[in-house]
Amino acid sequence: MYTLSNKLKITAIVCMVLGLIGIAMGFLNAPSTVEEAAAIVKEASAHHGGGHAEAEEAHVMKMDHHEGEVAHHAEDEHNAESTHHAEAGHDEHAEHVFHQLQNRPWSAVLIAGFFFFMLSLGTLVFYAVQRVAQAGWSPVLFRVMEAITSYLVPGGIILFVFFVLTISHMNHLYLWMEPGITDHDTILAGKSGYLNSPFFIIRAAIFIAGWIGYRFISRKYSLAQDEATDDSNYKKNFKISVFFLLFFFVSESMMAWDWFMSLEPHWYSTLFAWYVFATMFVSAITVIAMSTVYLKSKGLLEFVNDSHLHDLAKFMFGLSIFWTYLWFGQFMLQWYANIPEESGYFLPRIEHYNPIFFGMVAINFLFPFLILMNSDFKRKPWFIFLAGTFILIGHYMDLFQIVMPSTVGEHWSFGAPEIGSILFFLGLFLITVTSAFAKTKVWLPKRDPFIEESKHFHY
Amino acid sequence: MASHYEAPIREPLVTGDKTYHDVTVDVAAPVEGRANKQWWIVFSIALVAFLWGLGCIIYTVSTGIGVWGLNKTVGWAWDITNFVWWVGIGHAGTLISAVLLLFRQKWRMAINRSAEAMTIFSVVQAGLFPIIHMGRPWLAYWVLPIPNQFGSLWVNFNSPLLWDVFAISTYLSVSLVFWWTGLLPDFAMLRDRAVKPFQKKIYSLLSFGWSGRAKDWQRFEEVSLVLAGLATPLVLSVHTIVSFDFATSVIPGWHSTIFPPYFVAGAIFSGFAMVLTLLIIMRKVSNLENYITIVHIENMNKVILLTGGVVSVAYITEFFIGWYSGTNYEDYTYMSIGAATGPYWWAFWALIICNFIVPQTLWVKKLRTNYMWSFIVSIVINIGMWFERFDIIVIDLSKGHLPSSWTMFSPTFIDIGVFIGTIGFFFVLFLLYARTFPVIAQAEVKTILKSSGEKYKKLRDGNHE
């Protein structure tokens, strides 16, 4: 039986408190007026270089107008709005920068909040896949996965509240939510049938409720199977897992469009949703592997051997390559064709987020590729931990470069709000998941039809 | 592997009370026996189709591409449709032998040999099209970066058509090596059983002196695993590169980032359908009902359901993003309202019905465990996947950016003849294969006989109680 140590509990709580302070600092430091924003930008540019403030601001203006123009060109070359946009340029620009600076703490919360949520959501998907595939090796890990998915509830509620605040115009993350935007942006007006606040929040509610719902029902059957005399619970669980995967596949696509693609509402990519899924999935399996290593080190999980670890590490390895495949597919195709509507997405990422944009490819691909290739290494707990840490950092960076360039633009940095958000959600994740560990009395799903195979699994 | 224990809930993969010897005899029987009349009839039909196709190819090459139905707007139609269709079919073979090996799916062992053969033969068909659709196919060797006397004039590595050259040729070579490696122990079995000196000579040559020592087996397994590990990214990348032919362009409907994984899923979808078509017949005519069981059929149907689901979500995504993009050009793409009601409405609906609606019937267990229905669905899917490629290529090309270039496409009998010829050629090869090769990897099936054979499972279950 796992006992939640005081040390861990205190660490988690300290993380959360420090995190809250960091987030609060982020909100307090965000400008509350346009003038303040201008001052912050000026100071920041004076910081690196000095005196370049003017030039930089002019540059920013050009960039922004370029983006605006792209959108307008797409709808109509002779649109009167276009000229209007250029004339009113300066004021609008100042306000734009102001919004970006205000967005920073919100974006930080969104990234970290979703990052830890996706760890448990991806785990849930992996769990469902294992059930549907009738895997013979993984049933000894079911309880571990079930415990990790306990974070879905707090994580989901926080995300939902976040989105409620967002549609109440507490921030400027989503351009299409700005009041009156559809009056002069005909492209966004065309999308308003899908991109509108009530529909957005209803969809979010359905997705989160659906995922949490499956988690509860499946876990109920899973536990009931332990006490049962036949396999009926197992069979019900199998069925519901199939339908969950079906639901998840569709809901995940829409979730990725809603929460992330629509941050850049003029841009679109058909692959995007699957790409986000790859990020989720590989990170989640990494967390399963790391949790397994951790619990094993505590002397629990009697029947888990290095073959199980080997399998998990293979998934980390294979899915890292899969993620890279999708990343490259999306990036290369838009780079190759270089259609303005599309490349507007990658330009700021390459220009202002270069080390993150390409660094994450090294961390998410090269690193696991090289160190998890060897099958002896895949059986070593500390190797899994090392690779896992990097994979998680890399996929945080991935989310960072998905969200930040669209909401904060080039005024990004990595400071109190970002670190605070990570610490807060990390603490919450740790305390939720380890409490679930502590509540797990029996780690072995006793009467699972494949448990004997799983106990004797050796590769 | 956990072969010493198997959950009782798993269904047996080899039915009938088979022993090791029975497996050998059953697999060797078609090779050692003589072809019956039916085989000769079918073979002749395939051969005639092939020769007819060959005639069409010769006519095309000697007269000019103008004998096809292509026009200035639609420069690719049946040629590339058939190319992508054949490459797609080939993917299931590698999926079954490589990906299912990585996932330790024991049921693959009865079907991998034929699936790989199917891969090789369909990639051969696919490989014809890039050559014969050229205006000057005799200069085809210019696609290779060979030092030459034009001041060492090289190819441009930026074109996905060149990547195709590398992808397809690598794919064919690796698949061939993978297939042949797996054949060694089985050829050795045929060699050892052969009574006629000529047969003995042939199978001795083919089996490379395989003697089945422990060290050989150990390395054999390692090589299979490494090749499977290499073939998996290969199979994904090959059809990805094929999809790049379209996705790198700026043509509405073609330029879509989802194409790489979506084409791969479609390839597995159509490839598995073709494997089903072939194996449902083969299990009957070669008396392999105890090895290719309803469990295999059902599992293949499940893979079809899964990949069909992936493809369907991709259709929905295409449809949605087409609308979401707000570009009016997207109205005429193969996944748009315009396609559903335009001049190619029949092609659009053929795609939706064959790929989206009919495969959904496999959700019903009664239907997916029914040989006849599986057979019908598998053929419907192959038709549907042909239409998918046709729709992507022709519908998207026929209505491009400029309305003044809008046009229709209709094939000539040469277009159709070449396609029929490749189908004939495919069956010529496959029928010859079915009579001369061990169509089931007997060495592999023997490794699962005691864990998943019906007799042994019954024995074990009896002991448990």
Side-chain angles (χ1 to χ4, degrees), chain A residues 134 191 269-271 311 325 332-333 336-337 342 452-453 458, chain B residues 1 5 7 10 104 158 160 240 244 255-258 260 324:
Chain A
Q134 304 185 308
K191 298 182 187 197
S269 165
T270 41
L271 183 59
D311 267 24
Y325 163 67
M332 191 279 272
L333 288 175
Y336 192 108
E342 292 178 347
E452 285 301 318
E453 265 187 40
H458 177 74
Chain B
M1 289 190 201
Y5 179 82
R10 292 200 194 274
R104 300 191 290 261
N158 290 338
T240 291
F244 284 168
H255 182 68
S256 171
T257 49
I258 209 171
Y324 181 88

PDB file of all heavy atoms in Angstrom, chain A residues 134 191 269-271 311 325 332-333 336-337 342 452-453 458, chain B residues 1 5 7 10 104 158 160 240 244 255-258 260 324:
ATOM      1  N   GLN A 134      -7.169  -5.660 -26.074  1.00  0.00           N
ATOM      2  CA  GLN A 134      -7.024  -6.871 -25.253  1.00  0.00           C
ATOM      3  C   GLN A 134      -5.555  -7.180 -25.038  1.00  0.00           C
ATOM      4  O   GLN A 134      -5.100  -8.312 -25.225  1.00  0.00           O
ATOM      5  CB  GLN A 134      -7.724  -8.051 -25.915  1.00  0.00           C
ATOM      6  CG  GLN A 134      -9.195  -7.757 -26.180  1.00  0.00           C
ATOM      7  CD  GLN A 134      -9.927  -8.952 -26.714  1.00  0.00           C
ATOM      8  OE1 GLN A 134      -9.508  -9.558 -27.678  1.00  0.00           O
ATOM      9  NE2 GLN A 134     -11.046  -9.297 -26.073  1.00  0.00           N
ATOM     10  N   LYS A 191     -16.911  32.585 -40.143  1.00  0.00           N
ATOM     11  CA  LYS A 191     -16.713  31.431 -39.268  1.00  0.00           C
ATOM     12  C   LYS A 191     -17.595  31.462 -38.034  1.00  0.00           C
ATOM     13  O   LYS A 191     -17.550  30.541 -37.218  1.00  0.00           O
ATOM     14  CB  LYS A 191     -15.243  31.384 -38.816  1.00  0.00           C
ATOM     15  CG  LYS A 191     -14.267  31.220 -39.944  1.00  0.00           C
ATOM     16  CD  LYS A 191     -12.834  31.136 -39.466  1.00  0.00           C
ATOM     17  CE  LYS A 191     -11.908  31.144 -40.665  1.00  0.00           C
ATOM     18  NZ  LYS A 191     -10.572  30.678 -40.376  1.00  0.00           N
ATOM     19  N   SER A 269      -5.209  24.334 -40.452  1.00  0.00           N
ATOM     20  CA  SER A 269      -4.420  23.206 -40.921  1.00  0.00           C
ATOM     21  C   SER A 269      -5.220  21.956 -40.611  1.00  0.00           C
ATOM     22  O   SER A 269      -5.669  21.758 -39.484  1.00  0.00           O
ATOM     23  CB  SER A 269      -3.070  23.168 -40.201  1.00  0.00           C
ATOM     24  OG  SER A 269      -2.463  21.910 -40.399  1.00  0.00           O
ATOM     25  N   THR A 270      -5.408  21.117 -41.620  1.00  0.00           N
ATOM     26  CA  THR A 270      -6.235  19.936 -41.401  1.00  0.00           C
ATOM     27  C   THR A 270      -5.573  18.937 -40.459  1.00  0.00           C
ATOM     28  O   THR A 270      -6.230  18.170 -39.791  1.00  0.00           O
ATOM     29  CB  THR A 270      -6.546  19.237 -42.737  1.00  0.00           C
ATOM     30  OG1 THR A 270      -5.384  19.241 -43.545  1.00  0.00           O
ATOM     31  CG2 THR A 270      -7.669  19.932 -43.462  1.00  0.00           C
ATOM     32  N   LEU A 271      -4.257  18.954 -40.433  1.00  0.00           N
ATOM     33  CA  LEU A 271      -3.551  17.977 -39.599  1.00  0.00           C
ATOM     34  C   LEU A 271      -3.541  18.352 -38.130  1.00  0.00           C
ATOM     35  O   LEU A 271      -3.298  17.508 -37.267  1.00  0.00           O
ATOM     36  CB  LEU A 271      -2.101  17.850 -40.107  1.00  0.00           C
ATOM     37  CG  LEU A 271      -1.204  16.833 -39.420  1.00  0.00           C
ATOM     38  CD1 LEU A 271      -1.799  15.447 -39.538  1.00  0.00           C
ATOM     39  CD2 LEU A 271       0.171  16.837 -40.027  1.00  0.00           C
ATOM     40  N   ASP A 311       8.323  -2.153 -22.639  1.00  0.00           N
ATOM     41  CA  ASP A 311       7.208  -1.867 -23.536  1.00  0.00           C
ATOM     42  C   ASP A 311       6.801  -0.402 -23.477  1.00  0.00           C
ATOM     43  O   ASP A 311       6.560   0.238 -24.501  1.00  0.00           O
ATOM     44  CB  ASP A 311       6.013  -2.751 -23.182  1.00  0.00           C
ATOM     45  CG  ASP A 311       6.016  -4.032 -24.008  1.00  0.00           C
ATOM     46  OD1 ASP A 311       7.100  -4.424 -24.457  1.00  0.00           O
ATOM     47  OD2 ASP A 311       4.938  -4.613 -24.218  1.00  0.00           O
ATOM     48  N   TYR A 325       6.932  13.022 -36.971  1.00  0.00           N
ATOM     49  CA  TYR A 325       6.374  12.807 -38.304  1.00  0.00           C
ATOM     50  C   TYR A 325       5.242  13.798 -38.566  1.00  0.00           C
ATOM     51  O   TYR A 325       5.197  14.459 -39.609  1.00  0.00           O
ATOM     52  CB  TYR A 325       5.892  11.356 -38.385  1.00  0.00           C
ATOM     53  CG  TYR A 325       4.941  11.017 -39.496  1.00  0.00           C
ATOM     54  CD1 TYR A 325       5.340  11.054 -40.821  1.00  0.00           C
ATOM     55  CD2 TYR A 325       3.629  10.623 -39.208  1.00  0.00           C
ATOM     56  CE1 TYR A 325       4.466  10.716 -41.827  1.00  0.00           C
ATOM     57  CE2 TYR A 325       2.752  10.276 -40.206  1.00  0.00           C
ATOM     58  CZ  TYR A 325       3.163  10.325 -41.519  1.00  0.00           C
ATOM     59  OH  TYR A 325       2.287   9.992 -42.515  1.00  0.00           O
ATOM     60  N   MET A 332       6.372  21.101 -42.991  1.00  0.00           N
ATOM     61  CA  MET A 332       6.979  21.046 -44.322  1.00  0.00           C
ATOM     62  C   MET A 332       5.973  21.409 -45.406  1.00  0.00           C
ATOM     63  O   MET A 332       6.302  22.156 -46.328  1.00  0.00           O
ATOM     64  CB  MET A 332       7.565  19.654 -44.562  1.00  0.00           C
ATOM     65  CG  MET A 332       8.433  19.569 -45.789  1.00  0.00           C
ATOM     66  SD  MET A 332       7.485  19.377 -47.276  1.00  0.00           S
ATOM     67  CE  MET A 332       7.332  17.617 -47.339  1.00  0.00           C
ATOM     68  N   LEU A 333       4.747  20.891 -45.292  1.00  0.00           N
ATOM     69  CA  LEU A 333       3.780  21.151 -46.359  1.00  0.00           C
ATOM     70  C   LEU A 333       3.449  22.632 -46.455  1.00  0.00           C
ATOM     71  O   LEU A 333       3.296  23.175 -47.546  1.00  0.00           O
ATOM     72  CB  LEU A 333       2.520  20.325 -46.131  1.00  0.00           C
ATOM     73  CG  LEU A 333       2.700  18.834 -46.403  1.00  0.00           C
ATOM     74  CD1 LEU A 333       1.448  18.068 -46.050  1.00  0.00           C
ATOM     75  CD2 LEU A 333       3.064  18.586 -47.857  1.00  0.00           C
ATOM     76  N   TYR A 336       6.600  24.431 -47.774  1.00  0.00           N
ATOM     77  CA  TYR A 336       6.850  24.128 -49.184  1.00  0.00           C
ATOM     78  C   TYR A 336       5.929  24.955 -50.085  1.00  0.00           C
ATOM     79  O   TYR A 336       6.380  25.600 -51.031  1.00  0.00           O
ATOM     80  CB  TYR A 336       6.593  22.633 -49.405  1.00  0.00           C
ATOM     81  CG  TYR A 336       7.075  22.073 -50.723  1.00  0.00           C
ATOM     82  CD1 TYR A 336       8.173  21.234 -50.776  1.00  0.00           C
ATOM     83  CD2 TYR A 336       6.405  22.334 -51.902  1.00  0.00           C
ATOM     84  CE1 TYR A 336       8.608  20.687 -51.971  1.00  0.00           C
ATOM     85  CE2 TYR A 336       6.827  21.802 -53.105  1.00  0.00           C
ATOM     86  CZ  TYR A 336       7.939  20.971 -53.136  1.00  0.00           C
ATOM     87  OH  TYR A 336       8.351  20.431 -54.315  1.00  0.00           O
ATOM     88  N   ALA A 337       4.624  24.919 -49.801  1.00  0.00           N
ATOM     89  CA  ALA A 337       3.683  25.636 -50.659  1.00  0.00           C
ATOM     90  C   ALA A 337       3.743  27.129 -50.394  1.00  0.00           C
ATOM     91  O   ALA A 337       3.514  27.931 -51.285  1.00  0.00           O
ATOM     92  CB  ALA A 337       2.276  25.113 -50.439  1.00  0.00           C
ATOM     93  N   GLU A 342      -1.267  30.623 -44.818  1.00  0.00           N
ATOM     94  CA  GLU A 342      -0.757  29.579 -43.940  1.00  0.00           C
ATOM     95  C   GLU A 342       0.593  29.920 -43.343  1.00  0.00           C
ATOM     96  O   GLU A 342       0.845  29.681 -42.170  1.00  0.00           O
ATOM     97  CB  GLU A 342      -0.625  28.266 -44.717  1.00  0.00           C
ATOM     98  CG  GLU A 342      -1.953  27.693 -45.112  1.00  0.00           C
ATOM     99  CD  GLU A 342      -1.786  26.429 -45.923  1.00  0.00           C
ATOM    100  OE1 GLU A 342      -0.648  26.152 -46.369  1.00  0.00           O
ATOM    101  OE2 GLU A 342      -2.776  25.714 -46.102  1.00  0.00           O
ATOM    102  N   GLU A 452      -3.258 -12.907 -15.768  1.00  0.00           N
ATOM    103  CA  GLU A 452      -2.212 -13.931 -15.635  1.00  0.00           C
ATOM    104  C   GLU A 452      -1.142 -13.735 -16.704  1.00  0.00           C
ATOM    105  O   GLU A 452       0.049 -13.811 -16.424  1.00  0.00           O
ATOM    106  CB  GLU A 452      -2.826 -15.325 -15.746  1.00  0.00           C
ATOM    107  CG  GLU A 452      -3.591 -15.771 -14.508  1.00  0.00           C
ATOM    108  CD  GLU A 452      -2.718 -15.793 -13.254  1.00  0.00           C
ATOM    109  OE1 GLU A 452      -1.564 -16.245 -13.326  1.00  0.00           O
ATOM    110  OE2 GLU A 452      -3.197 -15.316 -12.196  1.00  0.00           O
ATOM    111  N   GLU A 453      -1.602 -13.463 -17.930  1.00  0.00           N
ATOM    112  CA  GLU A 453      -0.644 -13.171 -18.999  1.00  0.00           C
ATOM    113  C   GLU A 453       0.242 -12.001 -18.612  1.00  0.00           C
ATOM    114  O   GLU A 453       1.451 -12.016 -18.812  1.00  0.00           O
ATOM    115  CB  GLU A 453      -1.402 -12.795 -20.284  1.00  0.00           C
ATOM    116  CG  GLU A 453      -1.617 -13.936 -21.235  1.00  0.00           C
ATOM    117  CD  GLU A 453      -2.213 -13.475 -22.561  1.00  0.00           C
ATOM    118  OE1 GLU A 453      -1.812 -12.423 -23.083  1.00  0.00           O
ATOM    119  OE2 GLU A 453      -3.104 -14.185 -23.073  1.00  0.00           O
ATOM    120  N   HIS A 458       6.872 -11.446 -20.190  1.00  0.00           N
ATOM    121  CA  HIS A 458       8.316 -11.342 -20.301  1.00  0.00           C
ATOM    122  C   HIS A 458       8.652 -11.139 -21.767  1.00  0.00           C
ATOM    123  O   HIS A 458       8.137 -11.866 -22.609  1.00  0.00           O
ATOM    124  CB  HIS A 458       8.980 -12.604 -19.772  1.00  0.00           C
ATOM    125  CG  HIS A 458      10.457 -12.558 -19.928  1.00  0.00           C
ATOM    126  ND1 HIS A 458      11.239 -11.765 -19.126  1.00  0.00           N
ATOM    127  CD2 HIS A 458      11.281 -13.161 -20.797  1.00  0.00           C
ATOM    128  CE1 HIS A 458      12.493 -11.900 -19.511  1.00  0.00           C
ATOM    129  NE2 HIS A 458      12.544 -12.733 -20.528  1.00  0.00           N
TER     130      HIS A 458
ATOM    131  N   MET B   1       8.835 -13.777 -25.196  1.00  0.00           N
ATOM    132  CA  MET B   1       7.398 -13.499 -25.274  1.00  0.00           C
ATOM    133  C   MET B   1       6.632 -14.411 -24.329  1.00  0.00           C
ATOM    134  O   MET B   1       7.075 -15.500 -23.989  1.00  0.00           O
ATOM    135  CB  MET B   1       6.914 -13.733 -26.703  1.00  0.00           C
ATOM    136  CG  MET B   1       7.428 -12.674 -27.636  1.00  0.00           C
ATOM    137  SD  MET B   1       6.631 -12.805 -29.233  1.00  0.00           S
ATOM    138  CE  MET B   1       7.813 -11.932 -30.230  1.00  0.00           C
ATOM    139  N   TYR B   5       2.161 -18.998 -21.357  1.00  0.00           N
ATOM    140  CA  TYR B   5       0.836 -18.879 -20.781  1.00  0.00           C
ATOM    141  C   TYR B   5      -0.038 -18.047 -21.691  1.00  0.00           C
ATOM    142  O   TYR B   5       0.379 -16.989 -22.153  1.00  0.00           O
ATOM    143  CB  TYR B   5       0.874 -18.228 -19.391  1.00  0.00           C
ATOM    144  CG  TYR B   5      -0.524 -18.104 -18.840  1.00  0.00           C
ATOM    145  CD1 TYR B   5      -1.130 -19.195 -18.233  1.00  0.00           C
ATOM    146  CD2 TYR B   5      -1.269 -16.950 -19.030  1.00  0.00           C
ATOM    147  CE1 TYR B   5      -2.434 -19.133 -17.802  1.00  0.00           C
ATOM    148  CE2 TYR B   5      -2.573 -16.882 -18.606  1.00  0.00           C
ATOM    149  CZ  TYR B   5      -3.156 -17.968 -17.990  1.00  0.00           C
ATOM    150  OH  TYR B   5      -4.453 -17.911 -17.583  1.00  0.00           O
ATOM    151  N   ALA B   7      -4.098 -16.479 -22.026  1.00  0.00           N
ATOM    152  CA  ALA B   7      -5.386 -16.345 -21.365  1.00  0.00           C
ATOM    153  C   ALA B   7      -6.421 -17.250 -22.051  1.00  0.00           C
ATOM    154  O   ALA B   7      -6.488 -17.276 -23.275  1.00  0.00           O
ATOM    155  CB  ALA B   7      -5.847 -14.896 -21.419  1.00  0.00           C
ATOM    156  N   ARG B  10      -8.696 -15.976 -24.938  1.00  0.00           N
ATOM    157  CA  ARG B  10      -8.263 -15.784 -26.331  1.00  0.00           C
ATOM    158  C   ARG B  10      -8.724 -16.954 -27.187  1.00  0.00           C
ATOM    159  O   ARG B  10      -8.652 -18.107 -26.774  1.00  0.00           O
ATOM    160  CB  ARG B  10      -6.744 -15.685 -26.411  1.00  0.00           C
ATOM    161  CG  ARG B  10      -6.208 -14.436 -25.767  1.00  0.00           C
ATOM    162  CD  ARG B  10      -4.813 -14.122 -26.282  1.00  0.00           C
ATOM    163  NE  ARG B  10      -4.171 -13.131 -25.437  1.00  0.00           N
ATOM    164  CZ  ARG B  10      -4.319 -11.822 -25.586  1.00  0.00           C
ATOM    165  NH1 ARG B  10      -5.076 -11.357 -26.546  1.00  0.00           N
ATOM    166  NH2 ARG B  10      -3.702 -10.978 -24.768  1.00  0.00           N
ATOM    167  N   ARG B 104       3.240  -7.690 -31.582  1.00  0.00           N
ATOM    168  CA  ARG B 104       3.161  -9.082 -31.124  1.00  0.00           C
ATOM    169  C   ARG B 104       1.784  -9.696 -31.349  1.00  0.00           C
ATOM    170  O   ARG B 104       1.234 -10.373 -30.484  1.00  0.00           O
ATOM    171  CB  ARG B 104       3.507  -9.157 -29.629  1.00  0.00           C
ATOM    172  CG  ARG B 104       4.890  -8.655 -29.290  1.00  0.00           C
ATOM    173  CD  ARG B 104       5.267  -8.999 -27.878  1.00  0.00           C
ATOM    174  NE  ARG B 104       4.522  -8.263 -26.900  1.00  0.00           N
ATOM    175  CZ  ARG B 104       4.991  -7.181 -26.277  1.00  0.00           C
ATOM    176  NH1 ARG B 104       6.190  -6.738 -26.526  1.00  0.00           N
ATOM    177  NH2 ARG B 104       4.251  -6.557 -25.391  1.00  0.00           N
ATOM    178  N   ASN B 158      13.972  18.715 -54.889  1.00  0.00           N
ATOM    179  CA  ASN B 158      12.841  19.377 -54.251  1.00  0.00           C
ATOM    180  C   ASN B 158      11.488  18.811 -54.674  1.00  0.00           C
ATOM    181  O   ASN B 158      10.465  19.223 -54.150  1.00  0.00           O
ATOM    182  CB  ASN B 158      12.838  20.874 -54.580  1.00  0.00           C
ATOM    183  CG  ASN B 158      13.982  21.570 -53.891  1.00  0.00           C
ATOM    184  OD1 ASN B 158      14.502  21.066 -52.908  1.00  0.00           O
ATOM    185  ND2 ASN B 158      14.389  22.704 -54.423  1.00  0.00           N
ATOM    186  N   PRO B 160       8.509  16.152 -55.023  1.00  0.00           N
ATOM    187  CA  PRO B 160       7.991  14.917 -54.422  1.00  0.00           C
ATOM    188  C   PRO B 160       7.945  13.767 -55.426  1.00  0.00           C
ATOM    189  O   PRO B 160       7.906  12.612 -55.026  1.00  0.00           O
ATOM    190  CB  PRO B 160       6.593  15.282 -53.940  1.00  0.00           C
ATOM    191  CG  PRO B 160       6.316  16.645 -54.407  1.00  0.00           C
ATOM    192  CD  PRO B 160       7.552  17.255 -54.929  1.00  0.00           C
ATOM    193  N   THR B 240       3.236   8.510 -47.301  1.00  0.00           N
ATOM    194  CA  THR B 240       3.327   9.933 -46.998  1.00  0.00           C
ATOM    195  C   THR B 240       3.918  10.678 -48.189  1.00  0.00           C
ATOM    196  O   THR B 240       3.408  11.711 -48.608  1.00  0.00           O
ATOM    197  CB  THR B 240       4.203  10.120 -45.749  1.00  0.00           C
ATOM    198  OG1 THR B 240       3.501   9.609 -44.631  1.00  0.00           O
ATOM    199  CG2 THR B 240       4.544  11.571 -45.528  1.00  0.00           C
ATOM    200  N   PHE B 244       2.499  13.503 -50.619  1.00  0.00           N
ATOM    201  CA  PHE B 244       3.160  14.792 -50.855  1.00  0.00           C
ATOM    202  C   PHE B 244       3.015  15.235 -52.312  1.00  0.00           C
ATOM    203  O   PHE B 244       3.053  16.419 -52.601  1.00  0.00           O
ATOM    204  CB  PHE B 244       4.658  14.710 -50.525  1.00  0.00           C
ATOM    205  CG  PHE B 244       4.979  14.724 -49.050  1.00  0.00           C
ATOM    206  CD1 PHE B 244       6.252  14.405 -48.596  1.00  0.00           C
ATOM    207  CD2 PHE B 244       4.023  15.071 -48.114  1.00  0.00           C
ATOM    208  CE1 PHE B 244       6.558  14.421 -47.242  1.00  0.00           C
ATOM    209  CE2 PHE B 244       4.322  15.092 -46.754  1.00  0.00           C
ATOM    210  CZ  PHE B 244       5.597  14.764 -46.327  1.00  0.00           C
ATOM    211  N   HIS B 255      -3.803  20.749 -51.478  1.00  0.00           N
ATOM    212  CA  HIS B 255      -2.926  21.293 -50.455  1.00  0.00           C
ATOM    213  C   HIS B 255      -3.593  21.167 -49.093  1.00  0.00           C
ATOM    214  O   HIS B 255      -4.363  22.016 -48.671  1.00  0.00           O
ATOM    215  CB  HIS B 255      -2.605  22.751 -50.740  1.00  0.00           C
ATOM    216  CG  HIS B 255      -1.676  23.321 -49.723  1.00  0.00           C
ATOM    217  ND1 HIS B 255      -0.373  22.903 -49.617  1.00  0.00           N
ATOM    218  CD2 HIS B 255      -1.873  24.204 -48.725  1.00  0.00           C
ATOM    219  CE1 HIS B 255       0.186  23.525 -48.604  1.00  0.00           C
ATOM    220  NE2 HIS B 255      -0.691  24.327 -48.053  1.00  0.00           N
ATOM    221  N   SER B 256      -3.300  20.073 -48.434  1.00  0.00           N
ATOM    222  CA  SER B 256      -3.928  19.820 -47.148  1.00  0.00           C
ATOM    223  C   SER B 256      -2.938  19.060 -46.285  1.00  0.00           C
ATOM    224  O   SER B 256      -2.366  18.062 -46.725  1.00  0.00           O
ATOM    225  CB  SER B 256      -5.198  18.993 -47.374  1.00  0.00           C
ATOM    226  OG  SER B 256      -5.711  18.568 -46.146  1.00  0.00           O
ATOM    227  N   THR B 257      -2.720  19.544 -45.064  1.00  0.00           N
ATOM    228  CA  THR B 257      -1.664  18.941 -44.247  1.00  0.00           C
ATOM    229  C   THR B 257      -2.038  17.570 -43.709  1.00  0.00           C
ATOM    230  O   THR B 257      -1.171  16.821 -43.286  1.00  0.00           O
ATOM    231  CB  THR B 257      -1.312  19.860 -43.065  1.00  0.00           C
ATOM    232  OG1 THR B 257      -2.529  20.239 -42.422  1.00  0.00           O
ATOM    233  CG2 THR B 257      -0.569  21.087 -43.519  1.00  0.00           C
ATOM    234  N   ILE B 258      -3.315  17.234 -43.721  1.00  0.00           N
ATOM    235  CA  ILE B 258      -3.713  15.946 -43.151  1.00  0.00           C
ATOM    236  C   ILE B 258      -3.382  14.807 -44.106  1.00  0.00           C
ATOM    237  O   ILE B 258      -3.422  13.637 -43.724  1.00  0.00           O
ATOM    238  CB  ILE B 258      -5.221  15.946 -42.798  1.00  0.00           C
ATOM    239  CG1 ILE B 258      -5.468  15.000 -41.619  1.00  0.00           C
ATOM    240  CG2 ILE B 258      -6.084  15.549 -43.972  1.00  0.00           C
ATOM    241  CD1 ILE B 258      -6.862  15.086 -41.048  1.00  0.00           C
ATOM    242  N   PRO B 260      -0.691  13.327 -45.318  1.00  0.00           N
ATOM    243  CA  PRO B 260       0.239  12.233 -44.989  1.00  0.00           C
ATOM    244  C   PRO B 260      -0.384  11.120 -44.121  1.00  0.00           C
ATOM    245  O   PRO B 260      -0.451   9.984 -44.577  1.00  0.00           O
ATOM    246  CB  PRO B 260       1.400  12.950 -44.312  1.00  0.00           C
ATOM    247  CG  PRO B 260       1.372  14.311 -44.862  1.00  0.00           C
ATOM    248  CD  PRO B 260      -0.059  14.636 -45.126  1.00  0.00           C
ATOM    249  N   TYR B 324     -14.263  26.058 -42.946  1.00  0.00           N
ATOM    250  CA  TYR B 324     -13.661  26.934 -41.950  1.00  0.00           C
ATOM    251  C   TYR B 324     -12.657  27.892 -42.577  1.00  0.00           C
ATOM    252  O   TYR B 324     -12.506  29.024 -42.136  1.00  0.00           O
ATOM    253  CB  TYR B 324     -12.993  26.043 -40.899  1.00  0.00           C
ATOM    254  CG  TYR B 324     -12.315  26.744 -39.751  1.00  0.00           C
ATOM    255  CD1 TYR B 324     -13.021  27.090 -38.607  1.00  0.00           C
ATOM    256  CD2 TYR B 324     -10.949  27.015 -39.782  1.00  0.00           C
ATOM    257  CE1 TYR B 324     -12.387  27.699 -37.538  1.00  0.00           C
ATOM    258  CE2 TYR B 324     -10.312  27.623 -38.717  1.00  0.00           C
ATOM    259  CZ  TYR B 324     -11.036  27.966 -37.596  1.00  0.00           C
ATOM    260  OH  TYR B 324     -10.410  28.561 -36.541  1.00  0.00           O
TER     261      TYR B 324
END
